[in-house]
Amino acid sequence: MKKSLLCAVAILFALLLTACGGGNKMPEIAEDNSIQEGVEISLWVFPVGNWENPTTVASLLSDFHKQYPDINVTVEYLNYENGDERIEQAIAGGRAPDLVLEGPERLVANWGERGLMADLSDLWETETAGQIYQNVRDACRHENGAYYEYPVCMSAHCMAINYDMFRDCGALAFLDEETHTWTTEDFIAAVDTLRASGQEQVGIIYCKNQSGDQGTRALVNNLCGGTFTDEGHTAYTVDSEENIMALKILCALEGISFAPELSAGESVELFCSGEVAMSFCWNVSLEIQQTINNPKLDFQVFPMAFPTVTGEPRLQGGIWGFGIFDNKDERKLQAARDFIRYMTEDDTRYIRAVRTSTYWPVRDVGNIYVNDMLMEEYSIFTPYVGDYYQVTPGWTQARTAWWKMLQEIGSGTDVREAVKGFPAD
Protein backbone atom coordinates (compact mmCIF):
# COMPACT_ATOMS: atom_id res chain seq x y z
CA MET A 1 0.00 0.00 0.00
CA LYS A 2 2.75 2.39 0.98
CA LYS A 3 4.78 1.34 -2.10
CA SER A 4 1.86 2.13 -4.40
CA LEU A 5 1.38 5.53 -2.80
CA LEU A 6 5.06 6.37 -3.18
CA CYS A 7 4.97 5.36 -6.85
CA ALA A 8 1.99 7.60 -7.49
CA VAL A 9 3.72 10.54 -5.84
CA ALA A 10 6.87 9.92 -7.91
CA ILE A 11 4.91 9.83 -11.17
CA LEU A 12 3.08 13.08 -10.27
CA PHE A 13 6.39 14.76 -9.37
CA ALA A 14 7.90 13.74 -12.71
CA LEU A 15 4.95 15.13 -14.63
CA LEU A 16 5.31 18.45 -12.79
CA LEU A 17 8.98 18.64 -13.68
CA THR A 18 8.24 17.96 -17.35
CA ALA A 19 5.52 20.63 -17.47
CA CYS A 20 7.94 23.19 -16.04
CA GLY A 21 10.63 22.86 -18.68
CA GLY A 22 11.99 19.42 -19.31
CA GLY A 23 12.64 18.63 -15.68
CA ASN A 24 15.62 20.97 -15.38
CA LYS A 25 14.31 22.97 -12.37
CA MET A 26 11.41 23.34 -10.01
CA PRO A 27 8.96 26.19 -10.68
CA GLU A 28 9.54 29.34 -8.65
CA ILE A 29 6.75 30.12 -6.23
CA ALA A 30 6.04 33.85 -6.35
CA GLU A 31 5.54 35.53 -3.02
CA ASP A 32 2.37 37.51 -2.42
CA ASN A 33 4.27 40.77 -2.74
CA SER A 34 2.72 43.74 -4.56
CA ILE A 35 6.05 45.29 -5.47
CA GLN A 36 7.48 42.11 -7.02
CA GLU A 37 4.33 41.32 -8.97
CA GLY A 38 3.56 44.88 -10.02
CA VAL A 39 0.51 46.84 -8.95
CA GLU A 40 -1.47 49.81 -10.24
CA ILE A 41 -2.94 52.37 -7.86
CA SER A 42 -5.09 55.39 -8.59
CA LEU A 43 -4.47 58.83 -7.11
CA TRP A 44 -7.28 61.37 -7.24
CA VAL A 45 -6.29 64.92 -6.39
CA PHE A 46 -8.34 67.96 -5.52
CA PRO A 47 -6.89 71.30 -6.71
CA VAL A 48 -4.16 71.79 -4.11
CA GLY A 49 -1.82 74.32 -5.71
CA ASN A 50 0.23 72.77 -8.51
CA TRP A 51 -0.87 69.28 -7.54
CA GLU A 52 -3.61 69.99 -10.08
CA ASN A 53 -1.00 70.57 -12.80
CA PRO A 54 -0.52 67.33 -14.79
CA THR A 55 2.97 68.30 -15.95
CA THR A 56 4.16 69.02 -12.42
CA VAL A 57 2.61 65.85 -11.03
CA ALA A 58 4.08 63.80 -13.87
CA SER A 59 7.53 64.98 -12.83
CA LEU A 60 6.90 63.92 -9.23
CA LEU A 61 5.64 60.53 -10.36
CA SER A 62 8.57 60.01 -12.69
CA ASP A 63 10.96 60.18 -9.75
CA PHE A 64 8.69 57.93 -7.68
CA HIS A 65 8.56 55.30 -10.42
CA LYS A 66 12.35 55.22 -10.57
CA GLN A 67 12.43 53.99 -6.99
CA TYR A 68 9.27 51.89 -7.29
CA PRO A 69 9.23 50.67 -10.92
CA ASP A 70 6.61 48.02 -10.15
CA ILE A 71 4.07 50.52 -8.76
CA ASN A 72 2.17 52.38 -11.48
CA VAL A 73 0.27 55.44 -10.33
CA THR A 74 -2.56 56.82 -12.45
CA VAL A 75 -3.97 60.26 -11.66
CA GLU A 76 -7.43 61.80 -11.84
CA TYR A 77 -7.77 65.56 -11.39
CA LEU A 78 -10.84 66.80 -9.53
CA ASN A 79 -12.30 70.22 -8.85
CA TYR A 80 -14.47 71.50 -6.03
CA GLU A 81 -17.50 71.88 -8.23
CA ASN A 82 -18.04 68.16 -8.86
CA GLY A 83 -15.18 66.37 -7.09
CA ASP A 84 -17.32 65.10 -4.23
CA GLU A 85 -19.96 63.84 -6.63
CA ARG A 86 -17.38 61.98 -8.72
CA ILE A 87 -15.94 60.25 -5.68
CA GLU A 88 -19.38 59.34 -4.35
CA GLN A 89 -20.23 57.82 -7.72
CA ALA A 90 -16.99 55.86 -7.64
CA ILE A 91 -17.72 54.60 -4.14
CA ALA A 92 -21.23 53.54 -5.16
CA GLY A 93 -19.81 51.73 -8.18
CA GLY A 94 -17.22 49.84 -6.14
CA ARG A 95 -14.30 51.62 -7.78
CA ALA A 96 -13.19 54.16 -5.19
CA PRO A 97 -9.70 55.56 -5.81
CA ASP A 98 -6.81 54.11 -3.84
CA LEU A 99 -5.31 57.46 -2.83
CA VAL A 100 -6.93 60.88 -2.44
CA LEU A 101 -5.19 64.21 -1.80
CA GLU A 102 -7.55 66.35 0.27
CA GLY A 103 -8.28 67.54 3.81
CA PRO A 104 -9.60 66.10 7.09
CA GLU A 105 -13.12 67.39 6.47
CA ARG A 106 -13.44 64.79 3.72
CA LEU A 107 -10.88 62.13 4.57
CA VAL A 108 -11.63 62.02 8.31
CA ALA A 109 -15.02 63.57 8.99
CA ASN A 110 -16.77 62.16 5.91
CA TRP A 111 -15.27 59.04 4.34
CA GLY A 112 -13.40 58.06 7.49
CA GLU A 113 -16.51 58.50 9.60
CA ARG A 114 -18.31 56.16 7.19
CA GLY A 115 -15.67 53.45 7.58
CA LEU A 116 -14.38 53.74 4.02
CA MET A 117 -10.78 54.71 4.75
CA ALA A 118 -7.75 52.68 5.82
CA ASP A 119 -6.25 53.38 9.23
CA LEU A 120 -2.82 54.98 8.69
CA SER A 121 -1.70 54.80 12.32
CA ASP A 122 1.40 52.83 11.33
CA LEU A 123 2.62 55.80 9.27
CA TRP A 124 2.35 58.01 12.35
CA GLU A 125 4.75 55.89 14.40
CA THR A 126 7.92 57.24 12.75
CA GLU A 127 10.25 59.92 14.08
CA THR A 128 9.29 62.17 11.16
CA ALA A 129 5.58 61.92 11.98
CA GLY A 130 6.38 62.90 15.55
CA GLN A 131 7.48 66.31 14.28
CA ILE A 132 4.06 67.18 12.80
CA TYR A 133 2.35 70.06 14.58
CA GLN A 134 -0.08 68.91 17.25
CA ASN A 135 -3.11 70.77 15.87
CA VAL A 136 -2.54 69.11 12.49
CA ARG A 137 -2.13 65.71 14.15
CA ASP A 138 -5.40 66.19 16.03
CA ALA A 139 -7.25 67.08 12.82
CA CYS A 140 -6.06 63.93 11.06
CA ARG A 141 -7.16 61.58 13.83
CA HIS A 142 -10.73 60.35 14.12
CA GLU A 143 -12.37 60.21 17.53
CA ASN A 144 -12.10 56.40 17.34
CA GLY A 145 -8.31 56.79 17.42
CA ALA A 146 -7.65 55.95 13.78
CA TYR A 147 -5.66 58.24 11.51
CA TYR A 148 -7.39 58.56 8.16
CA GLU A 149 -5.02 61.19 6.76
CA TYR A 150 -1.30 61.70 6.54
CA PRO A 151 -0.77 65.47 6.07
CA VAL A 152 1.50 67.19 3.58
CA CYS A 153 0.81 70.92 3.79
CA MET A 154 -1.24 73.63 5.43
CA SER A 155 -2.35 77.19 4.78
CA ALA A 156 -4.60 79.98 5.94
CA HIS A 157 -7.55 81.05 3.81
CA CYS A 158 -8.05 84.78 3.55
CA MET A 159 -9.90 87.36 1.48
CA ALA A 160 -8.56 89.88 -1.04
CA ILE A 161 -9.26 93.41 -2.17
CA ASN A 162 -8.73 95.34 -5.38
CA TYR A 163 -5.96 97.63 -4.11
CA ASP A 164 -6.27 100.04 -7.01
CA MET A 165 -9.99 100.49 -6.46
CA PHE A 166 -9.54 101.03 -2.70
CA ARG A 167 -6.73 103.54 -3.32
CA ASP A 168 -8.65 105.56 -5.88
CA CYS A 169 -11.65 106.15 -3.60
CA GLY A 170 -9.70 106.60 -0.35
CA ALA A 171 -10.82 103.32 1.24
CA LEU A 172 -7.22 102.28 2.03
CA ALA A 173 -7.53 104.46 5.12
CA PHE A 174 -9.73 101.78 6.68
CA LEU A 175 -7.22 98.94 6.69
CA ASP A 176 -3.83 98.22 8.25
CA GLU A 177 -1.55 97.55 5.29
CA GLU A 178 1.29 96.32 7.49
CA THR A 179 -0.67 93.59 9.28
CA HIS A 180 -3.27 93.05 6.53
CA THR A 181 -6.05 93.36 9.12
CA TRP A 182 -9.06 95.59 9.74
CA THR A 183 -11.89 95.93 12.20
CA THR A 184 -15.57 95.35 11.52
CA GLU A 185 -16.18 99.09 11.82
CA ASP A 186 -13.48 99.82 9.25
CA PHE A 187 -14.83 97.13 6.91
CA ILE A 188 -18.28 98.73 6.96
CA ALA A 189 -16.74 102.16 6.36
CA ALA A 190 -14.70 100.84 3.43
CA VAL A 191 -17.78 99.25 1.83
CA ASP A 192 -19.74 102.48 2.26
CA THR A 193 -16.88 104.50 0.73
CA LEU A 194 -16.60 102.22 -2.28
CA ARG A 195 -20.36 102.29 -2.76
CA ALA A 196 -20.42 106.08 -2.57
CA SER A 197 -17.69 106.22 -5.23
CA GLY A 198 -19.98 104.43 -7.68
CA GLN A 199 -18.86 100.82 -7.15
CA GLU A 200 -22.19 99.01 -6.97
CA GLN A 201 -20.83 95.51 -6.39
CA VAL A 202 -18.35 95.61 -3.51
CA GLY A 203 -18.53 92.03 -2.24
CA ILE A 204 -20.56 88.91 -3.03
CA ILE A 205 -21.76 86.22 -0.61
CA TYR A 206 -21.66 83.32 -3.09
CA CYS A 207 -23.75 80.31 -2.08
CA LYS A 208 -24.56 78.22 -5.14
CA ASN A 209 -22.91 75.21 -3.48
CA GLN A 210 -20.32 74.38 -0.84
CA SER A 211 -17.27 75.38 -2.90
CA GLY A 212 -15.27 78.07 -1.14
CA ASP A 213 -17.53 77.97 1.90
CA GLN A 214 -14.51 78.44 4.18
CA GLY A 215 -14.58 82.09 3.10
CA THR A 216 -18.19 82.84 3.89
CA ARG A 217 -17.91 80.99 7.22
CA ALA A 218 -14.84 82.99 8.23
CA LEU A 219 -16.47 86.26 7.17
CA VAL A 220 -19.57 85.68 9.28
CA ASN A 221 -17.75 84.21 12.30
CA ASN A 222 -15.14 86.98 12.48
CA LEU A 223 -17.42 89.91 11.86
CA CYS A 224 -18.99 89.94 15.33
CA GLY A 225 -16.89 87.40 17.23
CA GLY A 226 -18.96 84.28 16.59
CA THR A 227 -17.87 80.68 16.06
CA PHE A 228 -19.02 77.83 13.86
CA THR A 229 -18.85 75.11 16.55
CA ASP A 230 -18.24 74.89 20.26
CA GLU A 231 -14.67 74.53 21.53
CA GLY A 232 -14.98 70.78 22.01
CA HIS A 233 -16.30 70.22 18.45
CA THR A 234 -19.47 68.59 19.74
CA ALA A 235 -22.14 71.02 18.50
CA TYR A 236 -22.70 73.78 15.95
CA THR A 237 -23.09 77.38 17.13
CA VAL A 238 -24.19 79.04 13.90
CA ASP A 239 -27.38 80.28 15.59
CA SER A 240 -25.48 82.33 18.18
CA GLU A 241 -26.36 85.98 18.68
CA GLU A 242 -22.93 86.98 17.34
CA ASN A 243 -23.50 85.17 14.06
CA ILE A 244 -27.06 86.44 13.74
CA MET A 245 -25.81 90.00 14.17
CA ALA A 246 -23.07 89.45 11.54
CA LEU A 247 -25.54 88.09 9.00
CA LYS A 248 -27.89 91.00 9.62
CA ILE A 249 -25.04 93.47 9.05
CA LEU A 250 -24.18 91.83 5.73
CA CYS A 251 -27.82 91.82 4.64
CA ALA A 252 -28.21 95.51 5.41
CA LEU A 253 -24.91 96.67 3.94
CA GLU A 254 -25.36 98.25 0.52
CA GLY A 255 -22.72 96.90 -1.83
CA ILE A 256 -22.73 93.42 -0.27
CA SER A 257 -25.09 90.99 -1.97
CA PHE A 258 -26.11 87.36 -1.46
CA ALA A 259 -25.85 85.40 -4.72
CA PRO A 260 -27.45 81.92 -4.71
CA GLU A 261 -26.65 81.63 -8.41
CA LEU A 262 -22.89 82.09 -8.02
CA SER A 263 -20.24 79.57 -6.98
CA ALA A 264 -16.98 80.56 -5.30
CA GLY A 265 -15.10 80.16 -8.58
CA GLU A 266 -17.54 82.42 -10.40
CA SER A 267 -17.23 85.07 -7.71
CA VAL A 268 -13.43 84.91 -8.00
CA GLU A 269 -13.77 85.46 -11.74
CA LEU A 270 -15.86 88.59 -11.14
CA PHE A 271 -13.24 89.88 -8.70
CA CYS A 272 -10.34 89.23 -11.07
CA SER A 273 -12.15 90.94 -13.93
CA GLY A 274 -12.54 94.10 -11.81
CA GLU A 275 -16.31 93.89 -11.48
CA VAL A 276 -16.24 93.34 -7.71
CA ALA A 277 -14.02 95.16 -5.22
CA MET A 278 -13.25 92.23 -2.94
CA SER A 279 -13.27 88.45 -2.85
CA PHE A 280 -14.17 86.41 0.22
CA CYS A 281 -12.59 83.31 -1.32
CA TRP A 282 -8.83 83.69 -1.60
CA ASN A 283 -5.42 82.22 -0.75
CA VAL A 284 -1.90 82.32 -2.12
CA SER A 285 -2.52 79.45 -4.52
CA LEU A 286 -5.42 81.32 -6.10
CA GLU A 287 -3.30 84.43 -6.60
CA ILE A 288 -0.57 82.42 -8.31
CA GLN A 289 -3.06 80.69 -10.60
CA GLN A 290 -4.98 83.84 -11.46
CA THR A 291 -1.83 85.89 -12.07
CA ILE A 292 -0.55 83.29 -14.51
CA ASN A 293 -3.77 82.26 -16.21
CA ASN A 294 -6.22 85.15 -16.05
CA PRO A 295 -5.55 87.90 -18.63
CA LYS A 296 -8.35 90.02 -17.14
CA LEU A 297 -6.43 90.52 -13.90
CA ASP A 298 -4.81 93.93 -14.40
CA PHE A 299 -4.84 95.41 -10.88
CA GLN A 300 -2.88 94.87 -7.67
CA VAL A 301 -4.38 92.16 -5.49
CA PHE A 302 -3.94 92.85 -1.79
CA PRO A 303 -4.69 89.88 0.52
CA MET A 304 -6.53 90.68 3.75
CA ALA A 305 -7.61 88.91 6.89
CA PHE A 306 -11.34 88.93 7.53
CA PRO A 307 -12.62 91.92 9.52
CA THR A 308 -13.25 91.35 13.19
CA VAL A 309 -14.45 93.40 16.16
CA THR A 310 -11.19 92.88 18.06
CA GLY A 311 -8.80 93.35 15.14
CA GLU A 312 -7.45 89.86 15.88
CA PRO A 313 -8.78 87.57 13.12
CA ARG A 314 -9.25 83.82 13.34
CA LEU A 315 -8.72 82.51 9.84
CA GLN A 316 -9.95 79.22 8.51
CA GLY A 317 -6.95 76.93 8.22
CA GLY A 318 -6.51 74.39 5.48
CA ILE A 319 -4.76 71.04 5.85
CA TRP A 320 -4.13 68.78 2.88
CA GLY A 321 -2.69 65.32 2.76
CA PHE A 322 -3.18 61.76 1.59
CA GLY A 323 -5.86 59.29 2.57
CA ILE A 324 -6.25 55.69 1.40
CA PHE A 325 -9.59 54.14 0.56
CA ASP A 326 -9.76 50.63 1.99
CA ASN A 327 -10.51 48.73 -1.19
CA LYS A 328 -9.68 45.37 0.46
CA ASP A 329 -6.64 44.77 -1.74
CA GLU A 330 -3.57 44.32 0.45
CA ARG A 331 -1.15 44.85 -2.43
CA LYS A 332 -2.71 48.20 -3.32
CA LEU A 333 -2.90 49.25 0.32
CA GLN A 334 0.81 48.57 0.71
CA ALA A 335 1.69 50.36 -2.53
CA ALA A 336 -0.35 53.41 -1.46
CA ARG A 337 1.51 53.48 1.86
CA ASP A 338 4.83 53.31 0.00
CA PHE A 339 3.73 56.30 -2.07
CA ILE A 340 2.91 58.35 1.05
CA ARG A 341 6.22 57.44 2.68
CA TYR A 342 8.11 58.41 -0.46
CA MET A 343 6.48 61.84 -0.63
CA THR A 344 6.71 62.71 3.08
CA GLU A 345 9.55 61.03 5.00
CA ASP A 346 12.68 62.29 3.21
CA ASP A 347 13.11 66.05 3.77
CA THR A 348 14.17 66.84 0.22
CA ARG A 349 11.25 65.03 -1.38
CA TYR A 350 8.86 66.35 1.26
CA ILE A 351 9.86 69.97 0.64
CA ARG A 352 9.32 69.41 -3.07
CA ALA A 353 5.83 68.02 -2.40
CA VAL A 354 4.99 71.02 -0.20
CA ARG A 355 6.35 73.54 -2.68
CA THR A 356 4.20 71.87 -5.34
CA SER A 357 1.18 72.68 -3.16
CA THR A 358 2.26 76.35 -2.89
CA TYR A 359 1.40 76.14 0.79
CA TRP A 360 3.43 75.56 3.95
CA PRO A 361 4.88 72.47 5.71
CA VAL A 362 3.09 70.72 8.55
CA ARG A 363 6.38 70.26 10.40
CA ASP A 364 9.39 72.51 10.85
CA VAL A 365 11.76 72.12 7.92
CA GLY A 366 12.88 75.74 7.86
CA ASN A 367 11.93 78.50 5.44
CA ILE A 368 11.28 76.76 2.14
CA TYR A 369 10.40 79.97 0.30
CA VAL A 370 13.57 82.03 0.71
CA ASN A 371 13.53 85.14 -1.53
CA ASP A 372 9.95 84.44 -2.63
CA MET A 373 8.23 87.78 -1.99
CA LEU A 374 4.71 86.51 -2.63
CA MET A 375 5.01 83.57 -0.24
CA GLU A 376 6.60 85.85 2.34
CA GLU A 377 3.64 88.20 2.02
CA TYR A 378 1.10 85.44 2.61
CA SER A 379 3.08 83.91 5.48
CA ILE A 380 1.78 86.80 7.60
CA PHE A 381 -1.56 84.98 7.84
CA THR A 382 -0.19 81.78 9.40
CA PRO A 383 -0.29 83.12 13.00
CA TYR A 384 -3.95 84.08 12.46
CA VAL A 385 -5.08 80.49 11.86
CA GLY A 386 -7.94 79.65 14.22
CA ASP A 387 -9.65 76.48 15.35
CA TYR A 388 -9.83 73.57 12.89
CA TYR A 389 -13.44 72.61 13.53
CA GLN A 390 -14.13 70.71 10.30
CA VAL A 391 -13.94 67.38 12.13
CA THR A 392 -17.09 68.04 14.16
CA PRO A 393 -19.61 65.17 13.86
CA GLY A 394 -22.16 65.80 11.14
CA TRP A 395 -19.73 67.98 9.21
CA THR A 396 -20.96 66.87 5.78
CA GLN A 397 -24.54 67.81 6.65
CA ALA A 398 -23.39 71.09 8.21
CA ARG A 399 -21.56 72.16 5.05
CA THR A 400 -24.71 71.62 2.98
CA ALA A 401 -26.87 73.35 5.58
CA TRP A 402 -24.57 76.38 5.53
CA TRP A 403 -24.89 77.31 1.86
CA LYS A 404 -28.58 76.48 1.81
CA MET A 405 -29.06 78.76 4.82
CA LEU A 406 -27.25 81.57 2.99
CA GLN A 407 -29.50 80.99 0.00
CA GLU A 408 -32.57 81.35 2.21
CA ILE A 409 -31.27 84.60 3.65
CA GLY A 410 -30.48 85.85 0.16
CA SER A 411 -34.04 85.04 -0.87
CA GLY A 412 -35.47 87.18 1.92
CA THR A 413 -35.90 84.75 4.81
CA ASP A 414 -35.44 86.40 8.20
CA VAL A 415 -31.94 85.69 9.54
CA ARG A 416 -33.08 84.40 12.90
CA GLU A 417 -35.55 82.07 11.23
CA ALA A 418 -32.96 80.83 8.70
CA VAL A 419 -30.38 79.83 11.34
CA LYS A 420 -32.93 78.15 13.62
CA GLY A 421 -32.07 74.52 14.31
CA PHE A 422 -28.85 74.56 12.30
CA PRO A 423 -27.81 72.18 10.79
CA ALA A 424 -31.25 70.68 10.27
CA ASP A 425 -31.46 68.20 7.39
Side-chain angles (χ1 to χ4, degrees):
M1 184 73 175
K2 289 182 179 179
K3 185 175 180 180
S4 298
L5 180 59
L6 288 172
C7 288
V9 171
I11 292 170
L12 178 60
F13 187 68
L15 290 172
L16 286 172
L17 286 175
T18 302
C20 293
N24 293 326
K25 58 180 180 179
M26 285 289 290
E28 294 181 3
I29 300 175
E31 296 180 9
D32 185 17
N33 186 308
S34 63
I35 307 306
Q36 289 183 359
E37 294 182 357
V39 61
E40 181 173 299
I41 58 175
S42 56
L43 166 64
W44 289 19
V45 296
F46 279 83
V48 182
N50 280 325
W51 276 93
E52 71 170 344
N53 185 316
T55 301
T56 303
V57 174
S59 178
L60 292 171
L61 293 182
S62 177
D63 290 343
F64 171 75
H65 289 142
K66 290 176 183 176
Q67 182 161 330
Y68 291 95
D70 294 311
I71 300 178
N72 183 43
V73 183
T74 62
V75 186
E76 289 282 342
Y77 298 93
L78 308 175
N79 59 52
Y80 286 114
E81 299 298 322
N82 62 13
D84 292 292
E85 181 181 358
R86 286 185 59 188
I87 287 188
E88 290 301 330
Q89 291 173 348
I91 293 171
R95 49 181 180 81
D98 299 299
L99 279 160
V100 175
L101 176 62
E102 231 305 276
E105 61 266 33
R106 288 177 172 84
L107 299 177
V108 179
N110 183 357
W111 303 317
E113 172 72 19
R114 291 156 58 185
L116 301 173
M117 308 302 291
D119 184 1
L120 305 181
S121 294
D122 56 312
L123 299 182
W124 285 83
E125 295 172 356
T126 66
E127 181 180 350
T128 299
Q131 301 168 8
I132 294 173
Y133 304 131
Q134 188 62 47
N135 63 327
V136 177
R137 174 184 290 269
D138 292 342
C140 295
R141 184 178 59 233
H142 191 270
E143 60 182 4
N144 65 11
Y147 286 93
Y148 294 129
E149 176 171 349
Y150 195 91
V152 174
C153 57
M154 61 186 294
S155 185
H157 295 290
C158 61
M159 61 176 292
I161 66 167
N162 182 321
Y163 189 89
D164 299 4
M165 197 178 288
F166 268 64
R167 180 196 59 219
D168 293 345
C169 73
L172 288 179
F174 301 110
L175 54 91
D176 187 325
E177 292 188 54
E178 182 177 352
T179 63
H180 293 247
T181 60
W182 47 358
T183 65
T184 299
E185 183 180 357
D186 285 336
F187 169 77
I188 294 172
V191 172
D192 287 342
T193 300
L194 285 157
R195 187 76 170 81
S197 73
Q199 179 61 36
E200 293 189 6
Q201 292 192 97
V202 178
I204 296 176
I205 310 296
Y206 50 85
C207 46
K208 179 179 181 180
N209 50 37
Q210 70 180 26
S211 66
D213 57 355
Q214 72 279 350
T216 53
R217 294 196 309 267
L219 173 65
V220 171
N221 292 159
N222 275 278
L223 208 57
C224 295
T227 61
F228 201 77
T229 73
D230 63 354
E231 187 175 348
H233 304 153
T234 63
Y236 292 92
T237 55
V238 172
D239 60 351
S240 69
E241 290 302 317
E242 293 84 355
N243 289 331
I244 289 174
M245 183 179 297
L247 287 164
K248 286 185 175 181
I249 288 174
L250 292 170
C251 285
L253 200 53
E254 290 189 18
I256 302 295
S257 59
F258 286 71
E261 75 282 3
L262 289 181
S263 67
E266 291 165 334
S267 72
V268 167
E269 176 64 28
L270 289 174
F271 171 68
C272 291
S273 64
E275 297 180 51
V276 181
M278 59 181 69
S279 173
F280 300 126
C281 179
W282 202 255
N283 56 42
V284 65
S285 180
L286 261 175
E287 175 154 350
I288 292 171
Q289 293 171 16
Q290 294 295 326
T291 300
I292 294 173
N293 301 319
N294 194 334
K296 297 179 181 179
L297 182 58
D298 61 358
F299 59 87
Q300 180 183 348
V301 174
F302 193 79
M304 286 291 296
F306 290 93
T308 179
V309 284
T310 62
E312 299 177 359
R314 294 164 299 153
L315 300 185
Q316 178 67 70
I319 298 172
W320 294 271
F322 296 110
I324 301 176
F325 272 94
D326 188 0
N327 289 326
K328 309 304 179 183
D329 186 323
E330 289 301 323
R331 298 182 308 138
K332 291 193 173 190
L333 289 170
Q334 181 59 47
R337 280 177 161 83
D338 288 339
F339 180 86
I340 294 175
R341 290 190 182 96
Y342 177 88
M343 292 292 172
T344 59
E345 290 189 352
D346 174 79
D347 279 356
T348 300
R349 293 195 295 263
Y350 173 60
I351 289 172
R352 186 183 179 193
V354 176
R355 288 179 65 91
T356 298
S357 74
T358 65
Y359 292 137
W360 285 267
V362 294
R363 56 186 173 89
D364 187 6
V365 288
N367 183 1
I368 68 172
Y369 294 114
V370 178
N371 299 324
D372 188 324
M373 294 181 63
L374 183 64
M375 296 304 292
E376 288 289 340
E377 179 183 29
Y378 277 85
S379 67
I380 196 173
F381 296 117
T382 304
Y384 300 150
V385 172
D387 181 36
Y388 195 93
Y389 53 73
Q390 297 98 304
V391 291
T392 303
W395 174 247
T396 302
Q397 293 82 0
R399 291 194 74 185
T400 301
W402 175 255
W403 60 266
K404 287 187 174 181
M405 181 198 74
L406 294 178
Q407 286 188 344
E408 289 183 17
I409 293 172
S411 299
T413 301
D414 178 73
V415 170
R416 191 173 295 278
E417 182 65 27
V419 303
K420 187 181 298 183
F422 186 94
D425 295 333

